[in-house]
């Protein structure tokens, strides 16, 4: 399943949602978690993931910390205070979008608007 | 899962550091590569150096689409980082005007005025004091640079270095202002202007110096944590 392009628009929402669930995660862990949750169907490319993480960090939605793991520095990302607010907005935006997309793809308008 | 030996981990780190420019990129990429190589079991027991390089290329190609993507991300990130860092510096300087720090600034201003009025009648002494105060942040930044010279440049270090020129520029501007403005003939008559002017300068210089020193201290603590 070629999901890369479809995932791109929702990448930030996915990252924020995963970090809402876990206290902190590192880049590789995020890709593996997405793979696991989608039974291997969704595959986040790191070429897209890291720029998204860095952008979220620069925008102040994520906070980064480092820890020494097996003799190397590991960078963890966690939701900032602003990030915790943003994840709720992003989730409701995504829910509305999925609902509308389903209506369009099923070629059935919302009965309440007819 | 086949764990990489310390020698091979160093090999990965050194190889990545030859390619990427900044410390943060190197650290994150090294961790990603080592984790991926180990979890995907790309290498057998006791691999050769060439096999390790091969595994690095496999992960870079499959996960990032090549080193080009990594370097493009690094370039983009450095631009965003410097902009954010500059904003953070200004924000930090402005905190001096918030409670409770503003009381310290007011007190400093009056102490500086009193000090320059009482003890610094000579123009030359005043100039020396301004130079010293202007040099404090620059010298601390230079010392910090020397301390960290052995390390790979970090986004933060680049940000701090770009800050070093600020107090020097402020000093230059100050002296130019004194030459350009007809203080002696202005309504700041006679000696009165001097200690107000000196008070403002000393206060601003101290704020800049303390901000620079605090930021450097934070950065050195992070470096200490990294090397511990």
């Amino acid at each position: 399943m070629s999901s890369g392009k479809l995932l791109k628009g929702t990448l930030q929402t996915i990252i924020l949602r995963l970090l809402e669930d876990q206290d902190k995660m590192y880049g590789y862990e995020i890709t593996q978690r997405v793979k696991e949750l989608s039974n291997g169907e969704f595959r986040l490319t790191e070429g897209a993931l890291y720029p998204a993480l860095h952008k979220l960090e620069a925008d102040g939605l994520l906070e980064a910390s480092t820890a020494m793991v097996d003799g190397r520095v590991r960078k963890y990302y966690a939701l900032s205070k602003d990030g915790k607010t943003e994840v709720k907005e992003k989730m409701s935006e995504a829910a509305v979008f999925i609902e509308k997309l389903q209506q369009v793809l099923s070629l059935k308008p919302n009965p309440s608007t007819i | 899962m086949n764990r990489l030996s310390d020698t091979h981990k160093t090999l990965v780190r050194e190889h990545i550091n030859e390619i990427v420019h900044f410390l943060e990129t190197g650290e994150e990429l090294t961790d990603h590569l080592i984790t991926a190589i180990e979890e995907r079991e790309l290498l057998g027991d006791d691999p050769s150096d060439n096999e390790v390089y091969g595994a690095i290329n496999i992960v870079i190609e499959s996960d990032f689409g090549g080193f080009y993507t990594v370097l493009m991300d690094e370039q983009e990130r450095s631009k965003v980082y410097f902009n954010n860092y500059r904003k953070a510096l200004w924000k930090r300087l402005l905190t001096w005007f918030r409670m409770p720090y503003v009381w310290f600034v007011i007190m400093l201003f009056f102490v500086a005025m009193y000090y320059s009025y009482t003890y610094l009648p000579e123009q030359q002494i005043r100039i020396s004091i301004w130079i010293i105060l202007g040099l404090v942040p620059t010298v601390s930044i230079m010392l910090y640079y020397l301390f960290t010279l052995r390390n790979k440049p970090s986004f933060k270090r680049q940000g701090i270095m770009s800050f070093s020129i600020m107090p020097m520029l402020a000093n230059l501007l100050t002296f130019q202002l004194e030459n350009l403005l007809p203080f002696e003939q202005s309504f700041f008559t006679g000696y009165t202007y001097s200690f107000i002017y000196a008070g403002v300068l000393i206060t601003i210089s101290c704020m800049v110096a303390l901000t620079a020193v605090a930021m450097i201290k934070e950065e050195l603590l992070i470096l200490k944590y990294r090397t511990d």
Side-chain angles (χ1 to χ4, degrees):
Chain A
M1 183 177 173
S2 175
S3 55
K5 284 181 184 170
L6 290 172
L7 277 177
K8 214 174 175 181
T10 49
L11 190 52
Q12 290 196 353
T13 313
I14 293 170
I15 294 170
L16 292 171
R17 178 70 185 99
L18 287 176
L19 289 169
E20 190 188 32
D21 188 49
Q22 306 268 323
D23 275 352
K24 59 177 186 175
M25 293 174 95
Y26 56 98
Y28 189 82
E29 192 182 8
I30 294 174
T31 60
Q32 296 310 298
R33 184 81 180 119
V34 170
K35 206 171 160 186
E36 182 193 322
L37 287 169
S38 64
N39 297 321
E41 292 288 338
F42 288 176
R43 196 176 170 281
L44 281 186
T45 61
E46 281 75 0
L49 174 76
Y50 285 105
L53 283 170
H54 299 151
K55 191 179 181 310
L56 287 167
E57 187 191 356
D59 291 344
L61 299 176
L62 297 186
E63 281 167 357
S65 59
T66 49
M68 290 298 284
V69 178
D70 287 338
R72 59 185 185 270
V73 177
R74 176 162 287 169
K75 188 173 180 181
Y76 285 98
Y77 296 91
L79 284 185
S80 67
K81 202 179 163 190
D82 288 345
K84 282 175 188 163
T85 318
E86 184 73 11
V87 69
K88 289 180 176 58
E89 282 174 31
K90 290 263 187 198
M91 284 300 289
S92 56
E93 269 174 29
V96 171
F97 178 75
I98 291 164
E99 189 193 327
K100 298 292 171 198
L101 187 67
Q102 275 174 342
Q103 283 170 24
V104 172
L105 295 181
S106 62
L107 305 176
K108 286 175 191 165
N110 188 343
S112 64
T113 58
I114 299 171
Chain B
M1 180 162 54
N2 285 341
R3 292 250 176 223
L4 284 179
S5 67
D6 287 346
T7 319
H8 288 134
K9 282 177 189 170
T10 311
L11 197 73
V12 174
R13 187 177 297 116
E14 284 173 355
H15 184 59
I16 294 307
N17 281 342
E18 278 171 19
I19 296 162
V20 301
H21 188 63
F22 290 105
L23 176 80
E24 291 90 341
T25 320
E27 284 177 348
E28 196 161 31
L29 192 56
T30 301
D31 179 46
H32 180 92
L33 286 168
I34 294 172
T35 313
I37 291 169
E38 286 180 347
E39 287 200 4
R40 293 175 203 170
E41 299 191 333
L42 293 176
L43 295 168
D45 294 330
D46 197 24
S48 68
D49 289 359
N50 280 340
E51 282 173 326
V52 177
Y53 291 134
I56 292 172
N57 286 336
I58 289 171
V59 178
I60 288 287
E61 280 301 325
S62 70
D63 292 1
F64 296 89
F67 274 114
Y68 180 77
T69 320
V70 176
L71 294 175
M72 284 297 104
D73 175 40
E74 185 178 52
Q75 202 178 33
E76 193 53 41
R77 200 178 161 199
S78 67
K79 280 186 218 158
V80 175
Y81 194 90
F82 295 147
N83 284 337
N84 283 2
Y85 200 77
R86 261 193 288 272
K87 281 182 205 161
L89 277 174
W90 282 113
K91 210 173 157 185
R92 208 155 169 158
L93 273 174
L94 289 176
T95 55
W96 289 108
F97 296 102
R98 296 207 186 108
M99 294 292 270
Y101 306 105
V102 72
W103 292 115
F104 172 74
V105 173
I106 292 168
M107 196 184 73
L108 183 70
F109 173 65
F110 281 107
V111 169
M113 267 208 313
Y114 172 77
Y115 184 71
S116 47
Y117 180 72
T118 319
Y119 301 104
L120 303 174
E122 295 297 322
Q123 176 83 353
Q124 287 303 312
I125 299 174
R126 254 187 0 255
I127 290 173
S128 312
I129 290 289
W130 296 340
I131 291 173
I132 292 164
L133 285 173
L135 281 175
V136 167
T138 310
V139 169
S140 345
I141 289 164
M142 289 303 165
L143 282 174
Y144 160 75
Y145 182 74
L146 287 174
F147 260 116
T148 57
L149 201 59
R150 282 181 304 142
N151 301 42
K152 206 167 169 58
S154 70
F155 290 128
K156 205 164 183 177
R157 185 170 88 181
Q158 298 290 100
I160 287 177
M161 292 311 293
S162 70
F163 183 62
S164 67
I165 200 157
M166 236 178 73
M168 293 305 283
L169 279 177
N171 251 10
L172 269 176
L173 190 73
T174 305
F175 290 120
Q176 285 308 311
L177 266 180
E178 191 169 59
N179 290 334
L180 290 173
L181 296 177
F183 276 122
E184 249 78 25
Q185 287 80 41
S186 74
F187 50 85
F188 295 110
T189 49
Y191 190 61
T192 316
Y193 92 89
S194 300
F195 67 85
I196 297 174
Y197 191 54
V200 171
L201 271 186
I202 292 170
T203 310
I204 292 174
S205 299
C206 283
M207 282 157 56
V208 173
L210 286 170
T211 307
V213 170
M215 295 195 86
I216 289 163
K217 196 179 141 200
E218 271 173 27
E219 180 65 2
L220 285 176
L221 279 175
I222 293 170
L223 283 174
K224 186 179 174 294
Y225 169 74
R226 279 203 169 102
T227 49
D228 275 349

